[in-house]
Amino acid sequence: MKYRTLGNTGLKISEVSFGTWGIGGDWGGSDDAEALRGLDYAIGQGVNFFDTADVYGGGHAEELLAKATKGKEDEVHIATKFCRAGDIHDPRTYSEASIREYCERSLKRLQRERIDLYQIHCPPFEILKDGRVFEELDKLQAEGKIRHYGVSVETVEEGLFCLDVPGVKALQVIFNLFRQKPAEQLLPKAEQSGVGILVRLPLASGLLTGKFTKETTFNSNDHRNFNANGEAFNVGETFAGLPFAKGVELASGLSWIAEGRGDMARASMRWILDHPEVSCVIPGFKNVRQVEDNLGTLEVPSFTPEELERIRDYYLSQVAEHIRGAY
């Protein structure tokens, strides 16, 4: 395993870490036994960082992490998130009483005394600009309930704003071959500010595995079905904001990246990790095989300058105009 420091927190986290949205049951169901075997395998391979949220499976993902990391609380770091269990537009969701309740519930499910990284879960920009939510997080940090805090953001503008908040130590962003905008300003400025970058949806909801066809369908309770066009939440969280059929077409145009790199998924995450400002990628998983596949990214060779230019040109000329939603 290879490790990078999360901003200026001093936490050294595995370059390939894992998100737990899928094992919570929100991607068309999952098998707890398989999920726990996957978590155990990942930890055995040196993965020491997992991202979750209080709404992943209604808290079920946090409970699974508690089981998988019991007795390893000092070795395995957990980041969780809050606010989307309430009305994200209601200021009361960010009151001291609400945030404290969210935090205590997560601590109970995680069976921990402290959360390593507590993140605001894609709140409206107005809430961030108001600033009071950060004051409440400062209180929890002073009490030892949380070690560090950060923000999961939807747009570059939100991320740049958060870099000016002294207490913010990490940003979670959507960054992949189909959504390259953060590389222009956000990543360099985050590095200058000593703020870590966690990359979610590195495979654009699976598009960048290259395994989908335009005829691929998803279960009714899978967000790739019910949020395909942003019906439930920000469209950017699903297929990187691309219409599915167009995304399949665009992915085929990137199939060459797999040459000498095993497969498209590993190559896609290698491209992300080729940006030194990135602290880690957090792909999802449901079983040991998927964990193993994702960890193969660590053995993949980096892209050459010529390849990087080709990828950038493809994004600018073919992809960028089709992205929908806040970006």
Side-chain angles (χ1 to χ4, degrees):
M1 179 55 64
K2 300 173 184 176
Y3 301 88
R4 299 185 183 187
T5 304
L6 179 64
N8 62 12
T9 66
L11 291 178
K12 293 191 179 299
I13 61 175
S14 41
E15 284 187 351
V16 176
S17 296
F18 287 92
T20 59
W21 191 5
I23 65 172
D26 297 319
W27 287 54
S30 63
D31 182 303
D32 284 358
E34 283 290 312
L36 287 168
R37 281 193 285 271
L39 287 167
D40 185 63
Y41 179 80
I43 293 169
Q45 295 299 307
V47 175
N48 72 342
F49 185 80
F50 295 92
D51 177 75
T52 190
D54 57 3
V55 291
Y56 291 173
H60 187 56
E62 290 180 327
E63 294 169 342
L64 288 173
L65 281 172
K67 292 179 181 179
T69 64
K70 191 171 181 61
K72 303 172 184 175
E73 292 83 359
D74 293 332
E75 307 162 34
V76 181
H77 309 302
I78 292 179
T80 192
K81 301 185 283 292
F82 74 94
C83 84
R84 300 194 79 85
D87 179 352
I88 63 169
H89 298 281
D90 187 345
R92 289 174 295 184
T93 298
Y94 309 90
S95 67
E96 179 175 3
S98 293
I99 295 175
R100 188 172 297 276
E101 184 175 1
Y102 291 137
C103 182
E104 293 291 353
R105 287 180 177 177
S106 285
L107 285 168
K108 184 176 181 179
R109 286 189 291 264
L110 291 167
Q111 296 180 32
R112 293 189 171 215
E113 295 182 357
R114 181 177 65 175
I115 295 168
D116 295 301
L117 178 66
Y118 203 35
Q119 304 160 101
I120 316 171
H121 197 173
C122 300
F125 198 4
E126 291 69 28
I127 294 296
L128 296 174
K129 289 186 285 190
D130 174 80
R132 282 176 288 186
V133 64
F134 300 115
E135 296 173 8
E136 302 307 334
L137 290 170
D138 285 334
K139 294 175 186 176
L140 290 177
Q141 187 175 37
E143 294 172 19
K145 298 285 186 181
I146 61 177
R147 191 170 182 177
H148 303 288
Y149 64 82
V151 188
S152 182
V153 298
E154 297 283 10
T155 70
V156 166
E157 184 182 14
E158 291 167 356
L160 291 171
F161 175 86
C162 290
L163 292 180
D164 290 329
V165 178
V168 170
K169 297 300 180 184
L171 291 179
Q172 187 174 139
V173 303
I174 303 173
F175 179 53
N176 56 51
L177 288 165
F178 285 157
R179 285 175 78 93
Q180 298 185 28
K181 187 177 177 182
E184 298 166 12
Q185 293 185 58
L186 186 58
L187 298 193
K189 290 191 176 182
E191 185 175 48
Q192 293 169 10
S193 302
V195 173
I197 294 289
L198 314 177
V199 173
R200 71 183 187 273
L201 299 171
L203 301 178
S205 307
L207 277 177
L208 289 169
T209 65
K211 296 178 180 178
F212 297 159
T213 69
K214 293 181 181 180
E215 287 70 44
T216 301
T217 59
F218 304 95
N219 292 336
S220 60
N221 61 340
D222 188 320
H223 77 98
R224 292 173 293 185
N225 180 318
F226 68 77
N227 194 60
N229 296 299
E231 296 92 337
F233 41 80
N234 190 309
V235 69
E237 299 287 345
T238 304
F239 303 129
L242 293 170
F244 178 68
K246 174 57 69 171
V248 171
E249 176 188 324
L250 291 170
S252 68
L254 284 169
S255 60
W256 65 269
I257 65 173
E259 297 170 13
R261 296 185 175 88
D263 58 37
M264 275 190 71
R266 294 177 182 182
S268 295
M269 288 190 284
R270 180 70 262 167
W271 177 85
I272 294 169
L273 290 173
D274 279 347
H275 293 79
E277 308 95 333
V278 170
S279 304
C280 71
V281 292
I282 47 174
F285 72 99
K286 287 188 177 181
N287 52 52
V288 170
R289 180 187 59 78
Q290 291 175 352
V291 170
E292 193 172 18
D293 284 349
N294 287 324
L295 290 179
T297 301
L298 297 167
E299 308 306 321
V300 167
S302 293
F303 287 88
T304 65
E306 293 76 19
E307 288 175 319
L308 291 173
E309 185 175 354
R310 182 179 175 184
I311 289 170
R312 180 66 175 169
D313 288 346
Y314 185 75
Y315 162 75
L316 291 173
S317 65
Q318 304 296 322
V319 180
E321 65 180 297
H322 299 290
I323 295 173
R324 302 167 298 171
Y327 185 22

